Amino acid sequence: MPAMSAVRCFSPVLSVTCCRNVSSTSTQGTRRRVVVTGAGAVTPLGVGVETSWSRLLAGESGIGQLYGDEFAEIPSKVAARVPRGSGDGQWQESSRLDRSESLATRFALSAATEALSMAKWKPTSDEDCSRTGVCIGSSLPGLQEILESGQSLKQGGYRRVSPFFIPRILVNMPAGVISVKHGLRGPNLALSTACATGIHSIGEAVEKIRHGTADVMVAGGTETTIVPLVVAGFGRARALSTHFNSEPEKASRPFDSERDGFVMGEGAGAVVLEEHDHAVQRGAGILCEVVGYGLSGDAHHITAPNSDGSGPMAAMTYALNDAGLQPSDVTFLAAHATSTPLGDAAEASAIRSVFKDHCQRLHITAFKSAIGHLQAAAGAVESIFAMLAVNKAQLPAIRNLNTPDTGSCTHDMNFARQNVSLLNNASEGSTVPVRRVAVVNSFGFGGTNASLCIRSLPS
């Protein structure tokens, strides 16, 4: 999340051994295992997981100029939009749109449909439909509709307000539409925790499967807030990049000394989470296993992180403890890293506090350097990229990282400044069989923090 306070390196007194699991059941007990069998994405790099992933590996950027008279007075002129058009990997609106669906809902439905197709899961029986749920979050899915409908009411009166206005602005409507379109009658949830929404949605869906409430969950996040009011609001908070307006692909630069703010993005990501034995019994392909979920609150400030990084540190530590892993077991970390001067430094401090000497071997990447900040969708899309990296043993590099600078924590951190092969990447002192393990971070306004721990299956 954007940060507005001073930051320093500090190691709060918190360790893996003293933290309790998020789950109420033991990681070594009978808790049900959760795997990922499908993924779908709509991102600034393109529509579809394979398109987005291949462009990410190729070092391409989804960030461009922010055009339009409505943005003329706003200092930041960069944004990461989903590419529109009729070509491969471009978003093409259907000529038969449901007027009750917002763009955020349509993005989410596209991602969820792709994920279900990849998972080859199309429930038809009463039992399968009732055991498959949805947890898709967002933060401001219908803000443009609110603004436009307010103007319609003011200028034309009651009858100018669309009867579809309310369905288009509800935060739970993306989850609801996915449920209706695919006949999913299990748990139906919609979280809204700002920029931590995507990981929280996946994590809470994991918990539903762990505890037997569902066998399959479609989970993720969606966001479409590149509208003048939101961009102006973040601009007034001085949270957006302005130094690279003429070179937008360079604007998002996590951990770099020239970072000056984040880049607004849009898109959606969804995964199909499934109980391990359920997936194996039906012969589903498995991308990876979700083994840990951690969440915490800063209790510090509504927008700025605590300068000691203790909140993110707690979330990462809880996720590792929930997974039954040690910091030395982790292969790479996908940082939240929005490219704000203070936020990145606070996260680096937290990473250093958790991983200590392992930071020299731990690969650290930041996907926002290529796609900007998708806010409520960020954690979902970035988790998908991390899942692909774990599965394919390829880690995409951080773009625009010329001179790492996060204060005194920088010198011993192993930033992925080029693509990294993760084959046979064993960590020294690891306490588990050799597997690729990733931690993914997302933090949001209000001081909410979430971390996910994912692991490859034995090869």
Side-chain angles (χ1 to χ4, degrees):
M1 66 185 174
M4 305 173 193
S5 65
V7 65
R8 57 192 173 86
C9 289
F10 180 72
S11 298
V13 181
L14 186 63
S15 67
V16 172
T17 55
C18 74
C19 293
R20 293 175 294 173
N21 288 344
V22 171
S23 172
S24 61
T25 56
S26 169
T27 56
Q28 307 303 318
T30 59
R31 184 175 72 184
R32 303 200 325 161
R33 294 170 62 190
V34 181
V35 296
V36 180
T37 55
V42 177
T43 83
L45 290 172
V47 177
V49 166
E50 287 303 322
T51 296
S52 297
W53 175 250
S54 62
R55 291 192 64 195
L56 183 68
L57 278 178
E60 297 182 41
S61 174
I63 300 171
Q65 294 279 356
L66 183 60
Y67 293 110
D69 293 342
E70 65 271 30
F71 298 104
E73 295 184 10
I74 300 173
S76 180
K77 304 297 183 185
V78 296
R81 291 188 182 275
V82 172
R84 267 70 164 180
S86 58
D88 291 342
Q90 294 183 319
W91 178 261
Q92 183 177 13
E93 287 284 15
S94 170
S95 60
R96 299 168 59 185
L97 290 176
D98 187 329
R99 288 184 294 166
S100 68
E101 296 173 4
S102 67
L103 182 59
T105 293
R106 294 195 288 272
F107 278 178
L109 180 60
S110 175
T113 300
E114 181 187 11
L116 286 163
S117 176
M118 180 187 292
K120 295 181 171 59
W121 181 242
K122 188 177 180 179
T124 55
S125 71
D126 285 344
E127 180 179 4
D128 286 346
C129 290
S130 297
R131 299 288 297 172
T132 305
V134 184
C135 185
I136 299 286
S138 188
S139 60
L140 297 167
L143 184 59
Q144 189 63 26
E145 283 81 3
I146 293 173
L147 294 171
E148 292 174 358
S149 295
Q151 284 295 107
S152 296
L153 180 62
K154 182 177 181 180
Q155 295 173 2
Y158 167 77
R159 295 190 177 278
R160 291 293 302 276
V161 177
S162 169
F164 302 107
F165 168 60
I166 296 300
R168 288 172 65 89
I169 69 170
L170 292 175
V171 172
N172 74 312
M173 199 51 62
V177 168
I178 291 167
S179 171
V180 170
K181 299 284 188 181
H182 292 283
L184 312 181
R185 300 200 302 269
N188 192 285
L189 305 171
L191 303 184
S192 186
T193 51
C195 304
T197 297
I199 288 185
H200 276 146
S201 295
I202 294 172
E204 294 305 313
V206 165
E207 292 296 290
K208 295 300 179 189
I209 297 172
R210 281 178 170 179
H211 295 294
T213 308
D215 294 325
V216 182
M217 292 288 294
V218 179
T222 184
E223 198 75 280
T224 54
T225 53
I226 305 178
V227 297
L229 182 59
V230 178
V231 179
F234 280 119
R236 289 289 291 161
R238 293 185 294 180
L240 301 180
S241 174
T242 59
H243 293 173
F244 298 90
N245 286 339
S246 61
E247 299 178 287
E249 70 281 356
K250 296 181 180 179
S252 184
R253 43 197 322 113
F255 301 118
D256 187 72
S257 61
E258 293 188 83
R259 67 189 186 275
D260 72 317
F262 76 90
V263 175
M264 294 279 292
E266 65 177 2
V271 294
V272 174
L273 302 164
E274 192 165 349
E275 194 273 325
H276 175 268
D277 291 348
H278 185 278
V280 170
Q281 287 169 9
R282 70 181 188 87
I286 296 176
L287 280 174
C288 62
E289 182 175 4
V290 181
V291 291
Y293 169 48
L295 58 169
S296 70
D298 287 351
H300 172 69
H301 190 272
I302 59 170
T303 58
N306 197 325
S307 62
D308 61 15
S310 56
M313 187 188 112
M316 287 185 278
T317 304
Y318 291 146
L320 288 170
N321 192 55
D322 188 41
L325 298 173
Q326 294 298 315
S328 60
D329 297 321
V330 180
T331 311
F332 74 88
L333 182 139
H336 178 62
T338 60
S339 187
T340 58
L342 302 181
D344 288 9
E347 185 175 10
S349 176
I351 294 168
R352 183 67 183 85
S353 296
V354 172
F355 293 96
K356 299 181 173 62
D357 291 343
H358 185 54
C359 284
Q360 299 174 25
R361 298 180 296 275
L362 175 72
H363 300 293
I364 300 171
T365 195
F367 300 124
K368 291 181 180 69
S369 60
I371 61 172
H373 190 2
L374 276 57
Q375 299 169 86
V381 170
E382 292 168 24
S383 291
I384 289 170
F385 289 156
M387 291 168 183
L388 291 169
V390 160
N391 180 268
K392 298 176 181 294
Q394 293 177 290
L395 181 65
I398 303 175
R399 298 184 83 258
N400 303 318
L401 183 55
N402 298 329
T403 307
D405 180 15
T406 56
S408 60
C409 302
T410 306
H411 67 282
D412 61 351
M413 302 189 81
N414 182 25
F415 295 112
R417 299 173 70 175
Q418 59 185 11
N419 291 353
V420 178
S421 172
L422 303 177
L423 289 172
N424 301 318
N425 197 310
S427 300
E428 293 182 17
S430 177
T431 60
V432 296
V434 176
R435 296 190 195 178
R436 293 179 292 277
V437 177
V439 169
V440 189
N441 287 339
S442 284
F443 316 130
F445 277 176
T448 182
N449 310 296
S451 296
L452 205 64
C453 187
I454 58 181
R455 181 172 63 187
S456 63
L457 296 184
S459 56

